[in-house]
């Protein structure tokens, strides 16, 4: 019996040890990075200018990660100004502490560092990162962030031979500090000088005839929508910011500021080189830039007229946007169909209508939403909330519906309860395309329409297979409606992705709130948090 007892005890110990090993091996992988932000001089438009480099690179290093990887990114600021990076589209589940915007984080002082700890929890897709402070985005510091599916989760298309990241955006020869001073003086952002693809006016990509490649396209510009084409080739849309889509073919695709998407392109044409073209369909004059797609078995140069349509209309773009639909039978980051969450059958708990405007306040150009033009306080809102510091922000300045009256400056926060289900309508009464981004969430884009939104427009909503993404365009003198489930507690930035408008006030914060303090709802403040403003000198509990 004794020997039997010893044997049983040994079995229990071994099983326990194996269980520990299993738990350790089962933890999501950690990936460590050290990024140094510095100034550098390059000449993408032929004129030497100061840019922001990450590890000496412009654009910055591409992050290729897998769903649920734990990313430890130590950012060292060697600039002469405070600096932050934000992770555009990464939802930061229960962790707005890592969002990297001025409402949640103190900026990293010069010659200091901050270590981000982020996880693309249950996410896949094409994303970006960029500086959120001042007008640093106009100087660079941005890069691609690609989240790949785990090997055990099938994707709804054959594995491409390779994939290419294309960071496309408008660009200025003017130094970012000069642009900022101009905005601070009350002027609007000038017309950009050009477009760049991956920081260049000329670059190339190559592939083998007959093979299929993925192109990950992101608009990293400041203000301008782009159209994207590949001469002589169809593009099959397969993903928008984390949503697998119905796989329609397109000759051109509109990508608005802050947006990302992925397409498959089969090299099925005669072997030679073909133009890749990005241009600004809604501006006068039209800006364009080109790259080259080169078949590896050909030395023939790209030729022929650039495939630019100068007669493109807004209504055509809106019609294209309506064709972006979610693939309800495909998996995303998890092995359950994307259509298993029936957003269209949930009763909304609140409707919010947000109207953008471009008022003058104290004689200077500002931008506002529902008359409130946001300004950043010295103390991040998230820290003020944590330390119960009064007077930093207000939850009653910005209203949930537009109202007549003069615009005003405010540090505005809308509060809504955890697990509310919101309908948000973006109303654009101006003559330019707006682009709105929501941190912390994917949103279902259920409707586009012209003129003024009314409740009767709900009859036109797509309540079946709307694509979910983080950034949405609103066409001139039009509206766009979204639905969102408030399942991510925290302080979340809702902002114009048109960066000058964001800088001059077209933003606010959504506080997703619960009386119950629980780690099941939200993580604790990171012990390495930088404390500034009225939070300086406080003790993290």
């Amino acid at each position: 019996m004794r020997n039997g007892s010893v044997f049983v005890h040994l079995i229990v110990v071994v099983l326990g040890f194996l269980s520990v090993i299993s738990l350790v091996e089962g933890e999501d992988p950690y990936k460590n990075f050290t990024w140094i932000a510095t100034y550098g001089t390059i000449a993408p438009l032929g004129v030497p200018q100061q840019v922001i480099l990450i590890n000496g690179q412009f654009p910055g290093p591409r992050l290729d990660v897998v769903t649920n990887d734990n990313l430890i990114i130590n950012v060292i600021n060697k600039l002469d100004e405070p600096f932050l990076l934000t992770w555009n589209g990464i939802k930061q589940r229960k962790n707005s502490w890592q969002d990297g915007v001025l409402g949640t984080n103190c900026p990293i002082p010069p010659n200091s560092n901050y270590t981000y700890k982020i996880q693309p929890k249950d996410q896949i897709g094409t994303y970006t990162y960029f500086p959120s402070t001042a007008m640093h985005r106009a100087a660079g510091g941005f890069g691609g962030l690609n989240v790949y599916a785990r090997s055990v989760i099938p994707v709804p298309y054959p594995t491409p031979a390779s994939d290419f990241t294309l960071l496309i955006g408008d660009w200025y020869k003017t130094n970012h500090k000069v642009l900022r001073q101009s905005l601070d003086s009350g002027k609007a952002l000038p017309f950009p000088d050009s477009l760049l693809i991956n920081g260049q006016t000329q670059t190339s990509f190559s592939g083998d005839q007959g093979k299929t490649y993925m192109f990950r396209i992101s608009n990293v510009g400041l203000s301008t929508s782009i159209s994207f084409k590949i001469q002589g080739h169809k593009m099959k849309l397969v993903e928008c910011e984390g949503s697998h889509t119905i796989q329609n073919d397109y000759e051109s695709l509109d990508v608005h500021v802050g947006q990302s998407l992925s397409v498959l392109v089969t090299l099925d044409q005669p072997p030679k080189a073909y133009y890749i073209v990005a241009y600004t369909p809604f501006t006068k004059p039209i800006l364009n830039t080109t790259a080259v797609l080169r078949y590896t078995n050909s030395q023939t140069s790209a030729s022929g007229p650039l495939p630019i349509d100068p007669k493109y209309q807004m209504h055509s773009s809106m019609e294209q946007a309506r064709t972006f639909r979610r693939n309800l039978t495909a998996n995303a980051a998890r092995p359950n169909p994307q259509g298993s969450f029936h957003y269209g059958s949930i009763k909304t708990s609140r409707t919010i209508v947000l109207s953008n405007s471009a008022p003058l306040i104290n004689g200077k150009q500002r931008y506002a939403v529902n008359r409130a033009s946001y300004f950043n306080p010295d103390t991040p809102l998230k820290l003020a909330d944590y330390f119960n510091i009064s007077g930093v922000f207000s939850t009653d300045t910005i209203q949930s519906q537009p109202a007549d009256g003069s615009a005003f400056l405010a540090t505005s926060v809308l509060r809504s309860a955890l697990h509310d289900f919101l309908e948000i309508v973006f109303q654009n009464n101006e003559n330019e395309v707006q682009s709105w981004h929501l941190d912390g969430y994917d949103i279902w884009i259920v409707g586009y329409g012209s003129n003024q939104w009314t409740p009767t427009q709900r009859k036109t909503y797509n309540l079946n297979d709307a694509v979910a993404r983080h950034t949405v365009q609103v066409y001139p003198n039009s509206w766009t409606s979204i639905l969102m489930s408030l399942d991510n507690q925290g302080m979340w930035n809702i902002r114009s992705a048109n960066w000058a408008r964001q800088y001059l006030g077209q933003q606010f914060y959504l506080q997703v709130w619960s009386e119950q303090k629980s780690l099941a709802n939200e993580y604790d403040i990171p012990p390495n948090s930088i404390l500034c403003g009225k939070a300086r000198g406080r003790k993290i509990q």
Side-chain angles (χ1 to χ4, degrees), residues 109-320:
N111 297 311
S112 298
N113 75 297
Y114 177 73
T115 300
Y116 292 89
K117 299 179 181 179
I118 65 178
Q119 184 184 35
K121 181 67 175 173
D122 295 330
Q123 288 187 261
I124 54 96
T126 300
Y127 305 98
T128 59
Y129 62 86
F130 61 82
S132 63
T133 38
M135 286 295 289
H136 291 143
R137 184 170 167 179
F142 50 76
L145 201 174
N146 302 326
V147 185
Y148 293 87
R150 292 174 289 167
S151 59
V152 295
I153 307 297
V155 295
Y157 48 82
T159 302
S162 186
D163 62 35
F164 307 115
T165 293
L166 288 82
L167 305 175
I168 307 174
D170 49 28
W171 189 253
Y172 293 81
K173 297 176 184 177
T174 307
N175 181 278
H176 72 281
K177 293 182 180 180
V178 176
L179 287 176
R180 185 173 70 210
Q181 291 168 357
S182 178
L183 292 172
D184 289 341
S185 72
K187 298 178 182 178
L189 192 70
F191 192 73
D193 294 300
S194 186
L195 299 180
L196 299 180
I197 298 177
N198 291 348
Q200 304 174 66
T201 55
Q202 292 183 335
T203 187
S204 64
F205 305 87
S206 62
D208 297 333
Q209 189 175 28
K211 292 184 179 180
T212 298
Y213 296 84
M214 176 173 282
F215 286 75
R216 297 176 179 269
I217 306 156
S218 297
N219 186 333
V220 295
L222 296 182
S223 63
T224 313
S225 301
I226 63 167
S227 281
F228 179 84
K229 292 185 175 184
I230 300 178
Q231 184 184 30
H233 291 74
K234 298 282 189 180
M235 298 179 290
K236 186 182 295 294
L237 181 68
V238 294
E239 180 261 334
C240 285
E241 296 162 14
S243 291
H244 288 311
T245 62
I246 299 295
Q247 296 178 14
N248 294 322
D249 289 330
Y250 297 87
E251 291 186 356
S252 69
L253 283 164
D254 294 341
V255 189
H256 303 276
V257 181
Q259 292 184 340
S260 299
L261 50 81
S262 301
V263 298
L264 294 180
V265 178
T266 299
L267 275 57
D268 55 2
Q269 298 300 304
K272 63 174 188 175
Y274 295 87
Y275 287 119
I276 298 172
V277 180
Y279 65 98
T280 57
F282 310 132
T283 66
K284 293 182 179 181
I286 293 175
L287 300 176
N288 73 80
T289 191
T290 61
V292 171
L293 173 60
R294 188 180 305 279
Y295 284 46
T296 53
N297 58 341
S298 172
Q299 298 299 318
T300 305
S301 299
S303 61
L306 297 182
I308 294 175
D309 183 1
K311 299 179 181 179
Y312 198 63
Q313 300 296 321
M314 292 285 183
H315 73 267
S316 301
S317 183
M318 187 184 293
E319 286 301 312
Q320 181 185 93

Side-chain angles (χ1 to χ4, degrees), residues 233-452:
H233 291 74
K234 298 282 189 180
M235 298 179 290
K236 186 182 295 294
L237 181 68
V238 294
E239 180 261 334
C240 285
E241 296 162 14
S243 291
H244 288 311
T245 62
I246 299 295
Q247 296 178 14
N248 294 322
D249 289 330
Y250 297 87
E251 291 186 356
S252 69
L253 283 164
D254 294 341
V255 189
H256 303 276
V257 181
Q259 292 184 340
S260 299
L261 50 81
S262 301
V263 298
L264 294 180
V265 178
T266 299
L267 275 57
D268 55 2
Q269 298 300 304
K272 63 174 188 175
Y274 295 87
Y275 287 119
I276 298 172
V277 180
Y279 65 98
T280 57
F282 310 132
T283 66
K284 293 182 179 181
I286 293 175
L287 300 176
N288 73 80
T289 191
T290 61
V292 171
L293 173 60
R294 188 180 305 279
Y295 284 46
T296 53
N297 58 341
S298 172
Q299 298 299 318
T300 305
S301 299
S303 61
L306 297 182
I308 294 175
D309 183 1
K311 299 179 181 179
Y312 198 63
Q313 300 296 321
M314 292 285 183
H315 73 267
S316 301
S317 183
M318 187 184 293
E319 286 301 312
Q320 181 185 93
R322 291 190 178 114
T323 68
F324 290 9
R325 314 296 279 260
R326 196 165 189 174
N327 185 341
L328 299 182
T329 62
N331 303 309
R334 289 186 174 187
N336 51 292
Q338 293 184 143
S340 57
F341 187 92
H342 299 290
Y343 71 93
S345 62
I346 300 174
K347 182 179 180 180
T348 55
S349 51
R350 185 179 183 187
T351 295
I352 299 171
V353 180
L354 302 173
S355 179
N356 50 272
S357 59
L360 294 179
I361 299 179
N362 299 324
K364 294 184 177 181
Q365 178 67 68
R366 295 286 300 186
Y367 299 97
V369 52
N370 287 3
R371 299 191 298 126
S373 184
Y374 186 90
F375 71 89
N376 286 300
D378 293 335
T379 308
L381 316 184
K382 189 66 180 167
L383 290 178
D385 186 53
Y386 175 79
F387 288 115
N388 293 315
I389 302 171
S390 61
V392 173
F393 65 87
S394 171
T395 58
D396 57 10
T397 50
I398 186 170
Q399 303 303 308
S400 58
Q401 301 288 324
D404 294 332
S406 300
F408 55 88
L409 299 174
T411 303
S412 44
V413 174
L414 267 178
R415 176 180 284 184
S416 202
L418 183 66
H419 303 308
D420 275 356
F421 194 78
L422 301 187
E423 174 189 39
I424 298 180
V425 180
F426 295 102
Q427 180 68 53
N428 179 17
N429 297 324
E430 298 183 66
N431 292 321
E432 62 182 71
V433 178
Q434 302 292 316
S435 190
W436 283 93
H437 171 83
L438 290 82
D439 280 350
Y441 286 92
D442 286 334
I443 53 178
W444 289 277
I445 304 171
V446 294
Y448 300 92
S450 302
N451 304 315
Q452 295 293 309

Side-chain angles (χ1 to χ4, degrees), residues 514-529:
S514 171
E515 288 186 357
Q516 181 181 1
K517 302 296 182 182
S518 168
L519 291 178
N521 292 339
E522 187 173 18
Y523 297 147
D524 280 336
I525 182 173
N528 67 328
S529 292

Side-chain angles (χ1 to χ4, degrees), residues 460-476:
T460 69
Y461 284 3
N462 175 5
L463 299 180
N464 180 43
D465 60 355
V467 70
R469 59 193 311 178
H470 57 69
T471 302
V472 60
Q473 72 274 19
V474 192
Y475 295 97

